[in-house]
Structures are given as structure tokens and as C-alpha cells.
Amino acid sequence: MNSPHEPDREELIDLLNRCWMTHDGMWFYHCLQEFGIEKANRLNRAAIKSLAPLEIERIKRTLGIEKKIENFSELKDFFERAAPLFIPPFMNASMSFPCENIMHWTFAPKNCFAYKGIKRIGAIERYECGVIYRLACWFDSLGAAYHLSPPLERCQMLAGETCSGNFEFFFP
């Protein structure tokens, strides 16, 4: 008989994120089945928007951040510390800070976890991205002013192989 395996930190983060994303996907699927894609998209965005301030406060508390984020350096530090807890490798996303006030995101070609899941349930043609919207809601909850390029609309992987873009931040 094998001895029990004690999961390490990364395995626990992966497990919790996979369970959360599966719950999220099943919730979206059942909303889609019950109400159609327009209402499922609207409910998904409402849930993300109302969850973001709670997530941000919990993340800040967990990371020991007590003050308001006031500049790009603090935002970058916050995100680099929070991202490993919420963006595990299975999501196939890469976030970087190529220059001052810019956060760049990209997903592996045709390999975004949301794209694959929504395509599997047959709703990708009219799905409104919840992944980047969640990040936008995080930044809104942090009080960060930004410009998103390209704007959030349908899944970018419909038109090409990948999804990528930038958040450009503005601080006083």
C-alpha cells in the first residue's frame, strides 16, 4: 500500500483553481441551458463584477497590503504576488510588464482554458470573455485607471490563433 501523498503549495493552488474553474464553467453551462447565451453572458459578468471587490480585499489582506495602491510599481508588485494564486499553469496564460504602465497578457494559441470549455459546450461564437473581464474588474476594484486594448468583446480566438492585449494604466 502506498503512503498518502501530501500535496505541495503548487498542487493545492492548482487543485483549488481547477475546482473553482470547473464550478464556474458548470454554472455558466447551466445558465446557458436555462436562459440562453445573452443572459448567461450578462449573469457571468454580473457575478464577476460583484465578486472582484471581495477577492481584492481578501487578496490584499492575505498578502499583507493595507494601503491603497497608488502607482504602477505597487500595482505590478500586487499583481505579481496575486497572479500565481489565481492564474495557474493550466490556464495557459502569460502576463508580463514590458514597459512602464503596461501589463500585457497572452494565451497559448487556441489553448485558453475558457475558450476550450466554452467551445466544448457549443457557445464560443457568442461568448463574451469573462477571463480578461475579471482582470478588468480587479483593476477597477483597486481604483486603477486604465485603457484596455483591444476592447473586451467576443473571444479573440474566434478571429485568430491567440488572445493577447494590454492594460495601459494611468496614475496621477
Side-chain angles (χ1 to χ4, degrees):
M1 181 173 162
N2 292 344
S3 60
H5 172 71
E6 284 297 322
D8 64 22
R9 179 178 189 265
E10 287 74 27
E11 289 172 311
L12 287 173
I13 290 170
D14 183 75
L15 172 65
L16 292 173
N17 275 290
R18 284 180 188 272
C19 289
W20 170 247
M21 291 297 103
T22 300
H23 172 273
D24 185 55
M26 291 295 98
W27 177 88
F28 188 90
Y29 174 75
H30 288 283
C31 285
L32 172 70
Q33 295 301 305
E34 185 78 19
F35 305 116
I37 188 63
E38 289 84 12
K39 194 169 274 188
N41 280 326
R42 191 168 57 251
L43 290 169
N44 191 42
R45 286 179 172 245
I48 291 167
K49 187 173 186 169
S50 63
L51 174 63
L54 303 172
E55 283 185 308
I56 290 301
E57 284 308 310
R58 289 173 181 160
I59 295 166
K60 285 175 69 176
R61 189 172 40 251
T62 299
L63 297 178
I65 298 170
E66 296 178 10
K67 67 182 206 78
K68 181 179 182 341
I69 291 174
E70 297 176 343
N71 59 54
F72 182 70
S73 178
E74 291 173 356
L75 181 120
K76 179 181 175 197
D77 179 64
F78 167 82
F79 192 83
E80 286 178 336
R81 293 176 63 205
L85 303 173
F86 292 88
I87 308 171
F90 80 82
M91 290 184 173
N92 300 307
S94 172
M95 310 291 171
S96 63
F97 297 89
C99 58
E100 187 71 17
N101 295 330
I102 301 291
M103 186 187 92
H104 179 76
W105 83 82
T106 190
F107 286 86
K110 295 292 186 190
N111 210 12
C112 166
F113 74 101
Y115 167 80
K116 292 189 306 187
I118 299 295
K119 185 176 179 186
R120 191 176 308 122
I121 63 174
I124 196 62
E125 296 294 327
R126 295 175 49 209
Y127 172 67
E128 295 175 8
C129 179
V131 179
I132 301 306
Y133 184 71
R134 184 178 183 200
L135 294 178
C137 289
W138 274 18
F139 298 135
D140 290 340
S141 296
L142 288 168
Y146 61 87
H147 172 73
L148 182 60
S149 177
L152 284 176
E153 293 174 359
R154 301 277 189 248
C155 177
Q156 286 188 34
M157 289 189 181
L158 285 171
E161 288 292 308
T162 192
C163 169
S164 64
N166 294 314
F167 283 90
E168 179 182 7
F169 296 97
F170 305 97
F171 292 94

